[in-house]
Amino acid sequence: MPPSLWTVWVLAAAISLSKEGALDQAHSLSCDPTGVCDGRARSLNAIPPGLTAAVKSLDLSNNRITYVGNNDLQRCVGLKALRLASNGVHTIEEDSFFPLRSLEHLDLSYNRLSNLSASWFRTLSALKFLNVLGNPYKTLGEMSLFSHLPNLRILKVGNSNPFSKIQEKDFSGLTFLEELEIDASNLRRYEPKSLKSIQNITHLILHMRQPISLLEILGDLLSSVRHLELRDTDLNTFSISEIVVDETNTWINKLTFRNVKIADESFSELVKLLNYISGMLEVEFDGCTLNGLGKFRTPVLGTVKYLGNVETLTVRKLTIPNFFLFYDLSSIYSLTGKVKRILIENSKVFLVPCLLSQHLKSLEYLDLSENLMSEEYLENSACEHAWPFLQTLILRQNHLKSLEKTGEVLLTLKNLTHLDISKNNFDSMPENCQCPEKMKHLNLSSTRIHSLTYCIPLTLEILDISNNNLNSFSLILPQLKELYISRNKLKTLPDASSLPTLLVMRISRNTISTFSKEQLASFQKLKTLEAGGNSFICSCDFLSFTQGQRALAQVLIDWPENYLCDSPSHVRGRRVQDVRLSLAECHRAAVVSAACCTLFLLLLVTGVLCHHFHGVWYMKMMWAWLQAKRKPKKAPRGDLCYDAFVSYSEQDSYWVENLMVQELEHFNPPFRLCLHKRDFIPGKWIIDNIIDCIEKSCKTIFVLSENFVKSEWCKYELDFSHFRLFDESDDTAILILLEPIERKAIPQRFCKLRKIMNTKTYLEWPADEMQREGFWLNLRAAIKS
């Protein structure tokens, strides 16, 4: 191949592969009709081509994109959200985001951007959210990055290592932020008033390993921040000298320490800090470590009468390495007099000293969830004069085991109205027990109780007994307004007469199979019912009620999504609202009645038709045929006992017995006739006698008359002979017409007999005596033939 052609071929192949790669990347996106495109974790190396103005949200997080060019997003003029987090982007061209004038959310976090450019953001005036955390830049640039972002409300900047300097111009142009997160873990220098330019910050999250410049930062923030959160900071050596601040203009009302290390000395300094924050209402410690023995600096604490104006103290997951050497905290008792709410959660608390409880004179709310409280230690904590104004006590997931003992211990709390003792292991409930007299709200969920007694206070307005082993609810609670009884084993709704004032009931995920319009109507004041997740039997009555009540959706707050049929089996798993049963399923009694009537009419019509078309005769013939099938079609000659079987009516017996028998049996040679009076075997079934005698006779003589046609037994004999005429090729029947008979008198079913009478000569008994001798001669000849 010539070199020039080879070069052309290589270029063409490269272009083809490039196009195929671009096409594969475009196909790696999944977009819904609203323009939300998901391309997360697809191993993309570049922003997919072919993006249009229809794309409203584009998520390309966790890929391998390293470069964003000017043309990559050129047509995405309708884009509102762009997420490029965790890619490895190291270069963004100056005009890459220029067309994105509608962009409201931009996430560039955890890439490799070593420099941030103000030109990226100059057209993004609609931007509300910007995250550039985790990029390896040292500063936020030489110029203000955010001066062109008047609508910015959430800003996240900084990183854990290179970012070491906060400059005065960094946040210029920003006046209001709902949330500002700064990762200044490695901060070395803070220029004064760098954060003071932001006049209002609702929530500031500040990551700092060491409290370098913390006092300067606090001095700039106290008049602009509502909620200050300090994360991942070692405050073991923290101390306060002076903070220059206008105490009359401090906005901060909540201070949070998350994953912070504190020592005895620094704790005293933090308490001292409250002197500078007159508006502080809430202090929170989350995941903190207290390195000390509780030897707080008494002289420092002595200068602080109370914890400022702090009303709420929250402590979660506090770790005290030297817990078993810890002091009794008596040095801080005097600071707690104004605190109204305390939450100490998952911190291995097993005792609140009685003296501390007595100092908490303003306490209204106490949450000691997920700790180690037991009845014995609770008795010491709830001692006489402890928590005098406490209204809400939460002891969820502790080590309580006796409802009776717990109730007795809490009798000292005269103002207690709300008690949460859920997720304790009570198992059983005593028949009677004592509780604080003002109790209105009781939470006994997830306590393994299997029955209810009047240990439950009658004064309750709210009762939560969900996630237990209850099979029924029969308590009479005249003041109860809200009942939470989900995730039990109830089969029916509670009796409405026991709960006359009930407004809210949540009874989902039990074993209730149905409820009726009358049951719901009996709860006269019920406004909210949650009953989904039960095993509903979708009967016609239940479907008619639920589907026919449009106002039901106003009461059933989880309708229709959580209401599924459990039976009948063919609709199991379908929403009750969508199920339609057949007419037969809904009106079974009517259908059965109609079916019975139809069957009766069918039998009646069948009977009429059988009578009209001689159906009974056909059945008798079938039986005769089955009987005959057991025997040879024609008996061997040696088995024939009679020359003829005579079938006649009893009314014609005189003619047969006195004339025909005399003429035939006394002739020489005599004929042997078979007569039923003489030759039938006594005790044998008459039909069997008829069949056997006909089969043992060479011929069958039918003495036809009006009496013969009316005789039932003559019909049987004629029937079987008629069958034999069908079944054998020779003619064995001899017809004697004793008197004139109209052919229509012979039943239609004897079609062969009628045919014989139409095609063959039959013997007719002559009225003239001169002709009778010829009649007997012809009869003898017919028998011999």
Side-chain angles (χ1 to χ4, degrees):
M1 180 181 295
S4 59
L5 291 178
W6 174 260
T7 303
V8 171
W9 183 85
V10 170
L11 289 174
I15 293 171
S16 176
L17 288 174
S18 176
K19 289 182 177 179
E20 290 178 2
L23 188 61
D24 289 342
Q25 292 202 26
H27 287 168
S28 64
L29 286 178
S30 57
C31 300
D32 66 18
T34 63
V36 177
C37 295
D38 185 4
R40 291 172 296 175
R42 309 291 175 93
S43 300
L44 300 175
N45 296 315
I47 294 178
L51 300 175
T52 67
V55 178
K56 303 299 181 185
S57 175
L58 179 61
D59 192 344
L60 299 174
S61 304
N62 298 292
N63 283 290
R64 301 172 184 172
I65 301 170
T66 59
Y67 176 83
V68 180
N70 289 334
N71 298 323
D72 288 343
L73 301 167
Q74 188 174 14
R75 300 177 60 189
C76 299
V77 294
L79 194 64
K80 291 184 176 295
L82 175 62
R83 296 174 177 87
L84 289 168
S86 303
N87 267 281
V89 176
H90 57 73
T91 302
I92 299 176
E93 293 191 0
E94 296 294 313
D95 295 329
S96 297
F97 304 142
F98 185 81
L100 310 182
R101 298 180 182 275
S102 299
L103 194 66
E104 297 178 356
H105 185 111
L106 177 59
D107 189 349
L108 299 172
S109 60
Y110 302 100
N111 284 290
R112 292 188 294 163
L113 296 169
S114 57
N115 291 289
L116 303 180
S117 174
S119 62
W120 298 344
F121 313 121
R122 68 179 184 273
T123 62
L124 305 184
S125 59
L127 196 65
K128 297 179 180 179
F129 177 98
L130 175 60
N131 187 353
V132 290
L133 281 171
N135 285 280
Y137 46 81
K138 295 181 180 180
T139 67
L140 294 180
E142 300 299 326
M143 301 173 56
S144 176
L145 294 175
F146 317 116
S147 58
H148 299 289
L149 305 176
N151 292 301
L152 192 64
R153 293 295 176 265
I154 299 176
L155 174 61
K156 299 175 183 288
V157 298
N159 55 64
S160 59
N161 192 21
F163 185 69
S164 59
K165 181 180 179 182
I166 297 178
Q167 305 168 96
E168 185 176 357
K169 54 80 191 172
D170 284 347
F171 302 99
S172 63
L174 297 175
T175 56
F176 170 68
L177 288 175
E178 293 177 3
E179 181 179 320
L180 172 60
E181 182 173 355
I182 303 175
D183 189 347
S185 299
N186 197 35
L187 185 66
R188 292 289 179 266
R189 181 182 175 189
Y190 174 80
E191 293 185 1
K193 300 183 180 180
S194 296
L195 289 169
K196 199 173 183 66
S197 61
I198 310 176
Q199 299 173 9
N200 190 342
I201 307 174
T202 304
H203 185 191
L204 172 62
I205 303 171
L206 186 60
H207 301 256
M208 299 181 70
R209 289 198 190 100
Q210 298 295 330
I212 299 173
S213 302
L214 180 57
L215 292 179
E216 290 83 352
I217 294 174
L218 287 174
D220 288 347
L221 293 174
L222 289 179
S223 60
S224 60
V225 173
R226 290 289 186 182
H227 177 193
L228 175 60
E229 180 176 336
L230 193 63
R231 292 187 183 180
D232 310 316
T233 308
D234 186 349
L235 294 179
N236 285 324
T237 60
F238 175 70
S239 64
I240 294 178
S241 54
E242 284 293 333
I243 301 178
V244 180
V245 64
D246 182 1
E247 295 184 25
T248 62
N249 193 30
T250 57
W251 279 33
I252 188 167
N253 56 25
K254 181 176 181 180
L255 183 60
T256 298
F257 299 93
R258 201 175 306 280
N259 194 26
V260 169
K261 296 178 181 178
I262 306 171
D264 289 346
E265 294 78 7
S266 57
F267 177 80
S268 302
E269 294 295 315
L270 290 177
V271 173
K272 182 180 176 181
L273 177 63
L274 299 179
N275 284 335
Y276 295 96
I277 311 174
S278 59
M280 178 72 70
L281 297 176
E282 181 176 356
V283 178
E284 178 180 6
F285 296 90
D286 190 355
C288 295
T289 301
L290 179 55
N291 295 307
L293 302 177
K295 292 183 179 181
F296 305 128
R297 294 169 59 187
T298 305
V300 174
L301 296 179
T303 63
V304 182
K305 188 175 182 180
Y306 293 108
L307 294 175
N309 292 315
V310 173
E311 295 182 351
T312 301
L313 174 63
T314 301
V315 179
R316 291 190 181 92
K317 299 181 181 179
L318 177 66
T319 300
I320 304 176
N322 297 315
F323 177 76
F324 293 103
L325 300 176
F326 208 74
Y327 280 58
D328 63 358
L329 301 178
S330 58
S331 58
I332 64 169
Y333 288 176
S334 61
L335 305 178
T336 61
K338 290 185 178 181
V339 178
K340 295 182 178 180
R341 295 172 57 89
I342 294 180
L343 186 153
I344 303 177
E345 181 180 290
N346 194 11
S347 298
K348 299 182 180 178
V349 175
F350 62 88
L351 172 68
V352 179
C354 175
L355 192 56
L356 175 57
S357 299
Q358 291 172 343
H359 273 84
L360 293 168
K361 296 179 180 179
S362 300
L363 192 65
E364 299 175 358
Y365 178 99
L366 176 59
D367 187 345
L368 295 173
S369 299
E370 300 179 44
N371 284 293
L372 307 175
M373 298 292 292
S374 63
E375 289 86 356
E376 292 76 16
Y377 292 114
L378 181 61
E379 185 174 8
N380 183 279
S381 301
C383 59
E384 194 70 26
H385 306 300
W387 309 321
F389 292 101
L390 189 66
Q391 298 176 11
T392 300
L393 176 61
I394 300 176
L395 295 169
R396 180 177 59 251
Q397 197 170 334
N398 275 271
H399 289 181
L400 303 177
K401 295 182 179 179
S402 170
L403 269 174
E404 184 176 11
K405 180 64 175 177
T406 300
E408 290 177 3
V409 166
L410 299 179
L411 287 175
T412 58
L413 307 179
K414 304 300 183 181
N415 292 299
L416 190 67
T417 58
H418 291 64
L419 176 63
D420 184 347
I421 48 177
S422 60
K423 295 187 178 180
N424 285 282
N425 296 325
F426 293 120
D427 291 330
S428 61
M429 182 178 292
E431 288 299 322
N432 294 286
C433 56
Q434 295 177 299
C435 289
E437 58 185 13
K438 293 184 179 181
M439 186 80 69
K440 299 294 182 183
H441 183 168
L442 177 61
N443 188 341
L444 280 170
S445 63
S446 304
T447 53
R448 299 184 180 181
I449 55 175
H450 50 78
S451 62
L452 297 175
T453 69
Y454 281 100
C455 181
I456 303 291
L458 297 179
T459 58
L460 286 184
E461 295 181 0
I462 300 175
L463 175 61
D464 188 344
I465 46 176
S466 57
N467 196 27
N468 283 297
N469 299 313
L470 301 174
N471 294 311
S472 62
F473 183 95
S474 56
L475 296 181
I476 299 175
L477 299 174
Q479 299 180 37
L480 196 68
K481 296 179 180 179
E482 298 181 18
L483 174 62
Y484 302 89
I485 196 169
S486 300
R487 300 190 302 279
N488 280 284
K489 300 177 182 178
L490 273 69
K491 296 181 180 180
T492 62
L493 296 180
D495 186 1
S497 61
S498 302
L499 307 167
T501 61
L502 195 66
L503 300 175
V504 176
M505 178 163 60
R506 299 182 186 270
I507 196 168
S508 60
R509 297 174 66 181
N510 277 271
T511 57
I512 295 173
S513 59
T514 187
F515 54 85
S516 65
K517 179 180 179 181
E518 291 72 23
Q519 280 182 297
L520 287 189
S522 63
F523 292 95
Q524 298 180 1
K525 297 185 177 182
L526 191 66
K527 302 297 182 184
T528 300
L529 174 62
E530 182 185 279
N534 281 288
S535 304
F536 291 112
I537 298 175
C538 288
S539 63
C540 299
D541 292 339
F542 182 66
L543 293 178
S544 176
F545 160 55
T546 54
Q547 295 173 0
Q549 297 286 328
R550 293 186 178 180
L552 198 62
Q554 299 176 2
V555 177
L556 299 178
I557 59 174
D558 52 345
W559 174 270
E561 289 77 13
N562 295 334
Y563 292 76
L564 306 178
C565 294
D566 186 64
S567 66
S569 58
H570 66 277
V571 297
R572 181 172 296 150
R574 293 177 57 187
R575 296 195 311 180
V576 173
Q577 184 187 49
D578 302 331
V579 171
R580 298 292 184 272
L581 297 181
S582 65
L583 182 66
E585 292 174 297
C586 287
H587 303 283
R588 194 179 302 274
V591 170
V592 171
S593 299
C596 291
C597 292
T598 302
L599 181 61
F600 175 76
L601 291 175
L602 182 62
L603 292 174
L604 182 62
V605 171
T606 302
V608 172
L609 292 175
C610 286
H611 177 76
H612 184 266
F613 294 104
H614 311 290
V616 177
W617 177 83
Y618 285 106
M619 293 175 65
K620 292 178 180 178
M621 282 297 295
M622 180 61 69
W623 175 250
W625 179 81
L626 290 173
Q627 290 291 98
K629 276 296 181 181
R630 295 182 302 173
K631 302 176 181 179
K633 291 185 178 180
K634 188 171 183 178
R637 193 71 185 173
D639 294 340
L640 296 176
C641 302
Y642 305 101
D643 294 304
F645 172 76
V646 183
S647 177
Y648 60 95
S649 170
E650 189 64 32
Q651 280 76 10
D652 300 327
S653 61
Y654 176 82
W655 184 89
V656 172
E657 294 169 2
N658 293 298
L659 295 180
M660 187 174 73
V661 170
Q662 293 298 323
E663 288 291 335
L664 297 180
E665 289 190 346
H666 293 88
F667 187 75
N668 189 18
F671 291 92
R672 187 175 181 186
L673 302 178
C674 180
L675 305 178
H676 65 267
K677 278 186 178 182
R678 185 181 65 190
D679 300 308
F680 277 10
I681 298 174
K684 191 174 184 179
W685 192 24
I686 188 168
I687 292 181
D688 284 342
N689 271 316
I690 293 172
I691 293 173
D692 288 344
C693 289
I694 289 176
E695 288 184 342
K696 291 179 180 180
S697 301
C698 295
K699 301 287 183 178
T700 301
I701 300 173
F702 291 99
V703 181
L704 303 178
S705 66
E706 292 289 344
N707 296 324
F708 182 93
V709 172
K710 296 176 181 179
S711 172
E712 184 67 26
W713 293 113
C714 290
K715 287 182 182 179
Y716 274 116
E717 294 163 357
L718 189 59
D719 289 344
F720 184 73
S721 179
H722 177 263
F723 157 76
R724 194 172 176 191
L725 290 175
F726 270 111
D727 211 34
E728 299 178 4
S729 57
D730 57 336
D731 291 336
T732 60
I734 300 173
L735 305 181
I736 297 176
L737 196 62
L738 197 60
E739 59 186 5
I741 302 175
E742 296 184 8
R743 281 187 173 81
K744 65 180 181 180
I746 301 175
Q748 294 287 338
R749 62 184 179 274
F750 301 127
C751 54
K752 183 69 175 179
L753 180 60
R754 292 166 66 88
K755 183 179 180 182
I756 292 174
M757 292 183 68
N758 289 331
T759 58
K760 292 187 178 182
T761 304
Y762 48 83
L763 298 175
E764 186 174 357
W765 175 250
D768 187 358
E769 291 186 4
M770 301 297 295
Q771 297 178 359
R772 291 178 180 174
E773 187 62 30
F775 169 83
W776 297 117
L777 288 175
N778 291 334
L779 179 58
R780 293 188 193 103
I783 294 173
K784 291 180 179 180
S785 62

